[in-house]
Amino acid sequence: YLRHQIHMSDVLDDYEALAVMINARLFPNKVALFEGCFDDIEKVNSLVSNAKDWEDWKSSSNDFTYGSRLIVSAGRHEELFAMIRDAITKASNKYKEIYPIPHQELSQMKNSMFNVVFRINKYDSGVGMGEHVDRDDYNENAYYVVATYLNDDYDDGEIFFIESETKIKPKAGDIAIFPGNLVHMVFPVMNGNKMIITHHLNGDFGD
């Protein structure tokens, strides 16, 4: 991969006060991993661990339970929502600078991160996800995937990109961004639980 030191103050307008130094690791097929995107990942995880309204996280066919899920929005866990929104905005802005998004796609994206819903998914130990793409017949506007990793205190659970045979295990606070049509899978998580937010940059700039 390629490693770059990036200063976010060059690309952020509304978030200049949040400018930080972060690393970008670049992999084949426009896969990028932005390291250390949160100002205080420990506080994020404290807010997550204190939340009481987790629910089951089931497959789309409702016949398999991956783990549990926490819904976060501007009106639900407001402080947590703001911290996630700011981190994703920083990483997304830098991704769009490294890999300019075609005008046809960009014109369909509403540049707003204030009315979305984030879903924190917690994998049960022993659970992974098979080969799939995020952009399909059911979600054809999912142009880019933004995967936000909240913890790393577990074994395995790497994301694996099939075509390039690239395996990545992000650390807590890292954000991976990649095109929604890339075939990938997630290895089963062992000896712990993995917490991740999967967000799509699409026509609604939301899920």
Side-chain angles (χ1 to χ4, degrees), residues 1-132:
Y1 59 83
L2 303 176
R3 183 180 293 273
H4 299 273
Q5 282 275 318
I6 300 168
H7 196 275
M8 294 304 300
S9 62
D10 294 333
V11 295
L12 297 181
D13 294 323
D14 297 336
Y15 295 90
E16 288 182 359
L18 302 173
V20 295
M21 289 293 290
I22 65 173
N23 287 320
R25 296 168 57 191
L26 307 183
F27 300 88
N29 298 325
K30 298 184 178 180
V31 176
L33 180 69
F34 299 94
E35 300 176 319
C37 295
F38 288 86
D39 294 332
D40 191 348
I41 190 62
E42 291 184 2
K43 183 174 182 179
V44 169
N45 280 309
S46 176
L47 292 171
V48 169
S49 64
N50 289 330
K52 306 298 183 184
D53 48 344
W54 289 84
E55 57 189 44
D56 287 341
W57 171 31
K58 293 183 175 293
S59 63
S60 56
S61 57
N62 213 38
D63 59 357
F64 181 79
T65 300
Y66 291 102
S68 53
R69 167 177 282 174
L70 179 68
I71 306 298
V72 178
S73 68
R76 188 174 179 182
H77 304 293
E78 182 176 357
E79 183 179 12
L80 181 58
F81 172 83
M83 297 175 79
I84 295 170
R85 178 201 64 204
D86 293 345
I88 288 178
T89 298
K90 288 187 287 189
S92 299
N93 282 345
K94 178 48 60 177
Y95 184 87
K96 287 184 284 187
E97 183 182 82
I98 297 171
Y99 300 114
I101 295 176
H103 178 73
Q104 181 180 1
E105 297 177 4
L106 191 62
S107 65
Q108 297 186 46
M109 297 181 186
K110 299 175 183 178
N111 191 19
S112 172
M113 290 287 286
F114 295 91
N115 298 312
V116 299
V117 172
F118 298 117
R119 294 172 175 85
I120 300 176
N121 294 325
K122 182 190 293 185
Y123 282 87
D124 284 342
S125 186
V127 174
M129 192 171 290
E131 294 185 15
H132 67 284

